[in-house]
Amino acid sequence: MDFKALHDIANQINSAEDINEILISLKDQILSLFDADRNTIYVLDGIKKEIYSRFKAGDYPKEIRVAINNKSIAGYTANTAQITNIANAYDRHELSMINKDLSFDKNWDEETGYVTKQILTVPIFFKKYVIGVFQLINKKNGVRFRLEDQNSAVEMAKVLGIAFSNHQKLAQKVKKRTKFDYLLKNGFISNKELGRAITVAREQKTSIESYLINEMKVKKEEVGRSLAEYYDCEYVPFDQNYPIPGDLLAKLKQAYLESNLWVPLSRENGKVKILIDNPQQLDKIDSVKSLIPAEKYEFAVGLREDIAQFLEHFYGTLETQDSGSIDDILGKLGMQEEEKGEGATEMLTEDDSAVVQLVNKMITDAYKENCSDIHIEPYPDKSGAEIRFRIDGVCQRYQTIPYHYRRAVASRIKIMAVLDISERRKPQDGKIKFKQFAPLDIGLRVATIPTVGGEEDVVMRILTVGEPIPLDAMGMVERDYNRLINMITKPYGIVLVVGPTGSGKTTTLHSALAHINNPQTKIWTAEDPVEITQRGLRQVQVVPKIGFDFAAAMRSFLRADPDVIMVGEMRDHETVATGIEASLTGHLVFSTVHTNTAPETVTRLLDMGMDPFNFADALLGVLAQRLVRTPCKSCKEPYHPDCKEYDSLVQAYDGDFDALGFSYGDDLTLYKATGCDECGNSGYKGRTSIVELLDGTDEMKSLIQSKAKMEILREQAIRDGMTTLMQDGIRKVFLGVTDLQQVRKVCIK
């Protein structure tokens, strides 16, 4: 044992003012003393019955938290006060010899690419209580930690135990309480970082809390917990599903509440609940009590930004709803029917206030539920009209409106979209800028279609202005991601993204454009409509009615000095031919095609009359994709599949399944959808993509030139490394992202 080195480290720790900073500066000395690769020092969180990482040497996430039980190595030491000295953390037999419940969590290794082998853990005591764990990882010579290392670690743990206790006592004596003591105590930030946050927040005229969350990446819930601990009250974050306290807001001005940073949340059993930024500010509390008389008051603390969001949500919703819920509006419609009588119902107009409220409410609710399309479906006779929302790719019933109002609703939507309300015999298309009719800044694409019985169906696509998703966040396998990056960074050629309507093709194209968007690259896009905007792109809305279609836009682009051209869709011979010509004359061309698979796209374009030699020369690759529903994170349940289910997944994969690395064993876990209030009891919330990427290799180009059949193209693409849509879907089933039922709904193979 190197007593001198250990003694020197102990002296520096005991004399330091900030124990976190001295441990950081002593990192190399500590690792050198034990000839170790990494070390972690855990400290007890008695409230949560966990240990958390006070200091780490290695590329781990910002904080590690471990439950105090026998299921993890550090947790076992904290629970039993026993030393562990493990030669191979992945050896289950070795772990079971220590404790039958003991296991190694390999998630950290998988996330960082690091391989953990040897582990030495020693309890940190103060008096007779365990207050932490000192952990060493990987002896540099690759063998088990020696008995000498173990004895040194015990001595190191004694030093740390005394130091932690002394520093805590000293801090309690000399330090004034602050709103951020919880963050400091639990190692989320250091004193230096807090000082810098206070200084910068003051200079930027923003709150310290928002700076900690946005710039220093401290979790919002941890900041809230720190405030709650300081003010000794509940912390309430913003929740858009919070019931609107209309009776409490009736006599209060939004501007006043915004400037004073408080908002009433509820009244229950004579007690009013108030969300405020400082529950100890007496003048604000006196103002609250004078404006809202009540028997009792409960004050909760909230971030300034959350209070502002509550106010915007409460008052904005009140303005939008006008007359309450959809049931209230339909109740008004029923009352109007009785007042006007049976013979007068067909005289109802699109300007009736209840009709206006109904349409506005329907669109507002659709937007809040992340609906992509609204379907209004009238039926003949007196069946009324059914309204359905498409959410995450699946239609769900929203409401049925009385048959007397079905034509008035359709006419109201036509007026909003500037369409001809007298024309009911042929389809019409238009757009709505909803901001003109309600305080919600969205656009809608409207299509009306005449149906049986002289009725009209109306379908509205909600066009929300969004931001492109980073390509590395789309969940592609490494091969597909690297090949796609290689394609979109080529100087010329054509890249196609294919799939049915609503499969996320435009989003993927914009993600690709965002990856190559820089001041040195001139990018033109022709779209219908422009849904995603990016600075640096020159985006054009095509207008087919006046002859300005995709082909015309592309011809114009070629005279406007482009480097990259993106065309919303290639649906005719002229557009495809112009795109291929542009790619052969030194331009990178992106576009979409409505086909089912990547190999099928090649044969479809050849069938449209494309020259196989030009097309083969131009093609860089084809990305086919679908969107599959993902289980709701709030209610999805893990389960262990039986052998029969595992075998069916292997059979459906129909490829080199062993390369995936998901073998059948006791630790194999899949997830199933259950249902809760968060997901409307559907079990699913949100969607993710599955893809297949056909690479324009030399072998593939040769087959295209010979007009090979689709099956031959598919076989070659697989030989080139393509994983099919079904295979990518099954990979994501094993990753817990979706389930086989959802994959089968969107692809065949």
Side-chain angles (χ1 to χ4, degrees):
M1 184 187 302
D2 190 340
F3 288 104
K4 184 178 182 304
L6 184 61
H7 183 69
D8 183 50
I9 291 172
N11 286 340
Q12 291 186 66
I13 290 174
N14 289 325
S15 62
E17 293 183 6
D18 188 323
I19 194 167
N20 288 331
E21 291 178 11
I22 193 62
L23 287 174
I24 291 171
S25 65
L26 291 174
K27 175 189 73 172
D28 293 335
Q29 286 181 249
I30 294 172
L31 292 176
S32 176
L33 175 65
F34 296 97
D35 193 27
D37 195 28
R38 298 186 174 192
N39 79 284
T40 307
I41 297 171
Y42 293 97
V43 178
L44 177 71
D45 182 345
I47 298 173
K48 288 188 174 182
K49 294 185 179 179
E50 294 176 337
I51 52 174
Y52 64 90
S53 53
R54 179 78 173 264
F55 165 78
K56 305 178 297 299
D59 301 325
Y60 287 130
K62 183 159 188 178
E63 183 190 58
I64 304 171
R65 281 188 169 264
V66 177
I68 299 175
N69 55 38
N70 295 341
K71 293 183 179 180
S72 67
I73 296 169
Y76 169 80
T77 295
N79 190 40
T80 64
Q82 298 296 313
I83 297 172
T84 70
N85 191 342
I86 295 164
N88 184 359
Y90 284 83
D91 187 341
R92 293 184 183 177
H93 176 70
E94 182 182 1
L95 298 181
S96 65
M97 293 294 289
I98 299 171
N99 185 278
K100 63 181 179 64
D101 296 326
L102 196 61
S103 64
F104 172 64
D105 184 358
K106 58 186 178 183
N107 287 330
W108 301 119
D109 283 6
E110 291 174 353
E111 286 182 22
T112 61
Y114 185 78
V115 179
T116 302
K117 286 289 186 180
Q118 303 86 30
I119 298 179
L120 173 63
T121 58
V122 176
I124 299 172
F125 288 99
F126 180 69
K127 295 183 178 177
K128 61 180 181 178
Y129 300 105
V130 176
I131 63 170
V133 174
F134 178 58
Q135 176 178 272
L136 293 164
I137 296 174
N138 284 4
K139 189 78 171 172
K140 286 193 174 178
N141 60 10
V143 300
R144 183 194 296 268
F145 285 99
R146 300 169 301 170
L147 180 60
E148 183 180 342
D149 296 321
Q150 189 170 307
N151 293 335
S152 296
V154 171
E155 294 301 318
M156 186 73 186
K158 289 178 182 177
V159 172
L160 291 170
I162 295 168
F164 286 151
S165 176
N166 290 342
H167 279 269
Q168 187 173 3
K169 289 177 182 176
L170 182 64
Q172 289 173 349
K173 287 180 181 178
V174 302
K175 186 180 171 187
K176 182 182 176 183
R177 285 187 71 221
T178 74
K179 294 188 291 184
F180 309 108
D181 285 350
Y182 170 81
L183 301 178
L184 293 167
K185 181 174 62 179
N186 290 283
F188 291 103
I189 56 173
S190 67
N191 281 311
K192 275 190 177 179
E193 288 173 328
L194 178 58
R196 185 169 71 252
I198 293 170
T199 302
V200 177
R202 188 179 295 125
E203 290 172 355
Q204 295 180 353
K205 296 182 179 179
T206 185
S207 67
I208 302 169
E209 293 87 346
S210 65
Y211 183 84
L212 291 172
I213 294 167
N214 298 325
E215 302 300 327
M216 302 187 71
K217 307 305 178 187
V218 180
K219 290 181 180 178
K220 182 179 177 180
E221 56 266 29
E222 301 297 350
V223 174
R225 182 172 176 179
S226 189
L227 295 176
E229 187 177 281
Y230 177 75
Y231 289 115
D232 192 24
C233 65
E234 182 187 1
Y235 160 69
V236 179
F238 172 68
D239 180 2
Q240 64 178 0
N241 296 317
Y242 210 96
I244 301 169
D247 59 327
L248 297 174
L249 296 169
K251 296 181 180 179
L252 298 172
K253 297 291 184 183
Q254 183 178 357
Y256 171 80
L257 296 178
E258 284 175 347
S259 63
N260 286 275
L261 288 170
W262 63 272
V263 59
L265 292 180
S266 63
R267 186 199 298 270
E268 189 174 346
N269 299 326
K271 181 169 70 175
V272 172
K273 187 174 184 177
I274 304 292
L275 184 65
I276 191 168
D277 70 321
N278 184 352
Q280 294 178 359
Q281 193 168 338
L282 297 179
D283 58 337
K284 282 190 184 183
I285 292 172
D286 289 340
S287 298
V288 170
K289 292 180 177 179
S290 64
L291 291 169
I292 306 178
E295 296 176 20
K296 294 180 181 178
Y297 298 89
E298 178 188 348
F299 290 91
V301 67
L303 301 177
R304 295 181 185 181
E305 293 77 13
D306 283 352
I307 294 172
Q309 281 185 286
F310 267 118
L311 289 168
E312 184 179 345
H313 172 60
F314 287 169
Y315 283 93
T317 305
L318 288 172
E319 290 174 12
T320 302
Q321 289 185 356
D322 283 332
S323 48
S325 68
I326 191 72
D327 295 326
D328 295 334
I329 296 171
L330 292 175
K332 284 186 181 181
L333 296 181
M335 291 171 61
Q336 288 184 17
E337 285 178 31
E338 293 176 6
E339 291 170 4
K340 295 186 179 184
E342 181 67 28
T345 52
E346 290 301 325
M347 300 299 292
L348 295 168
T349 71
E350 63 280 350
D351 293 324
D352 281 4
S353 63
V355 174
V356 172
Q357 292 168 17
L358 174 62
V359 173
N360 287 355
K361 174 66 174 165
M362 172 181 63
I363 294 172
T364 302
D365 283 355
Y367 173 74
K368 287 181 179 178
E369 294 184 28
N370 293 319
C371 164
S372 61
D373 300 88
I374 305 169
H375 297 258
I376 302 169
E377 303 163 337
Y379 290 89
D381 303 322
K382 295 187 177 182
S383 301
E386 189 170 282
I387 302 173
R388 294 195 290 168
F389 291 168
R390 186 178 293 278
I391 301 172
D392 291 338
V394 178
C395 283
Q396 301 176 16
R397 183 179 173 186
Y398 168 65
Q399 195 56 258
T400 300
I401 57 177
Y403 72 95
H404 308 93
Y405 284 82
R406 58 194 177 192
R407 290 194 174 180
V409 168
S411 295
R412 173 61 186 168
I413 294 170
K414 282 184 173 183
I415 288 173
M416 295 167 74
V418 196
L419 300 178
D420 183 358
I421 63 172
S422 64
E423 179 57 73
R424 298 176 182 270
R425 297 170 300 172
K426 64 181 183 181
Q428 297 185 70
D429 297 318
K431 292 191 174 104
I432 296 174
K433 292 183 179 179
F434 192 58
K435 195 175 183 180
Q436 298 175 358
F437 308 97
L440 185 60
D441 189 10
I442 60 172
L444 298 103
R445 187 170 61 198
V446 180
T448 67
I449 303 172
T451 50
V452 66
E455 303 298 338
E456 277 185 299
D457 271 35
V458 180
V459 179
M460 293 184 283
R461 165 70 59 89
I462 297 178
L463 309 173
T464 55
V465 178
E467 293 290 327
I469 301 169
L471 280 177
D472 57 6
M474 295 181 66
M476 295 184 190
V477 295
E478 186 177 358
R479 178 263 180 191
D480 288 351
Y481 175 77
N482 292 335
R483 295 284 177 94
L484 182 60
I485 294 298
N486 183 51
M487 291 173 192
I488 66 176
T489 51
K490 289 284 178 66
Y492 56 86
I494 189 166
V495 178
L496 299 173
V497 180
V498 304
T501 300
S503 58
K505 300 186 297 296
T506 302
T507 302
T508 299
L509 280 180
H510 270 280
S511 298
L513 290 175
H515 187 83
I516 62 174
N517 185 6
N518 58 61
Q520 292 78 41
T521 306
K522 177 74 172 187
I523 303 175
W524 283 100
T525 77
E527 302 169 71
D528 184 24
V530 177
E531 295 184 51
I532 301 173
T533 58
Q534 294 187 53
R535 185 173 181 82
L537 270 57
R538 308 311 303 146
Q539 296 178 261
V540 174
Q541 169 79 55
V542 298
V543 188
K545 291 180 181 178
I546 62 172
F548 184 49
D549 55 15
F550 287 121
M554 199 182 312
R555 288 194 298 271
S556 300
F557 292 166
L558 292 175
R559 296 190 292 270
D561 187 30
D563 294 307
V564 180
I565 296 171
M566 192 272 269
V567 183
E569 185 180 345
M570 287 184 170
R571 64 180 75 164
D572 56 68
H573 179 278
E574 185 181 7
T575 307
V576 180
T578 307
I580 293 173
E581 181 184 343
S583 65
L584 292 173
T585 55
H587 304 95
L588 185 61
V589 179
F590 295 158
S591 190
T592 71
V593 181
H594 283 114
T595 51
N596 290 319
T597 65
E600 181 185 322
T601 306
V602 176
T603 56
R604 174 76 62 85
L605 295 181
L606 292 176
D607 289 343
M608 289 172 64
M610 297 302 106
D611 179 83
F613 290 92
N614 286 345
F615 180 46
D617 287 342
L619 184 67
L620 294 174
V622 182
L623 180 76
Q625 77 173 51
R626 299 288 190 279
L627 294 178
V628 293
R629 302 173 80 191
T630 57
C632 172
K633 292 180 181 178
S634 299
C635 64
K636 69 177 183 179
E637 287 186 2
Y639 72 97
H640 178 62
D642 56 27
C643 290
K644 185 177 180 181
E645 182 178 357
Y646 177 80
D647 291 340
S648 69
L649 287 167
V650 174
Q651 184 178 2
Y653 189 82
D654 191 24
D656 184 10
F657 185 80
D658 292 337
L660 276 184
F662 295 106
S663 57
Y664 190 78
D666 294 339
D667 58 347
L668 180 63
T669 303
L670 301 182
Y671 291 87
K672 61 182 177 182
T674 52
C676 64
D677 293 338
E678 280 285 318
C679 58
N681 290 314
S682 68
Y684 299 94
K685 190 172 184 180
R687 290 189 288 179
T688 189
S689 64
I690 58 174
V691 303
E692 65 179 24
L693 181 62
L694 180 149
D695 194 4
T697 61
D698 292 341
E699 294 79 6
M700 182 62 69
K701 291 176 185 290
S702 178
L703 290 175
I704 294 173
Q705 289 170 354
S706 63
K707 292 189 175 181
K709 292 183 178 180
M710 192 270 287
E711 291 79 7
I712 297 174
L713 295 174
R714 183 174 183 272
E715 290 171 3
Q716 180 59 48
I718 292 173
R719 281 196 295 273
D720 291 336
M722 181 184 84
T723 54
T724 65
L725 290 167
M726 178 63 76
Q727 289 171 346
D728 193 41
I730 290 173
R731 179 180 72 89
K732 291 192 172 177
V733 170
F734 280 99
L735 291 173
V737 177
T738 187
D739 57 45
L740 185 61
Q741 178 187 3
Q742 298 303 315
V743 175
R744 289 192 184 278
K745 283 183 178 181
V746 298
C747 65
I748 299 174
K749 57 184 180 180

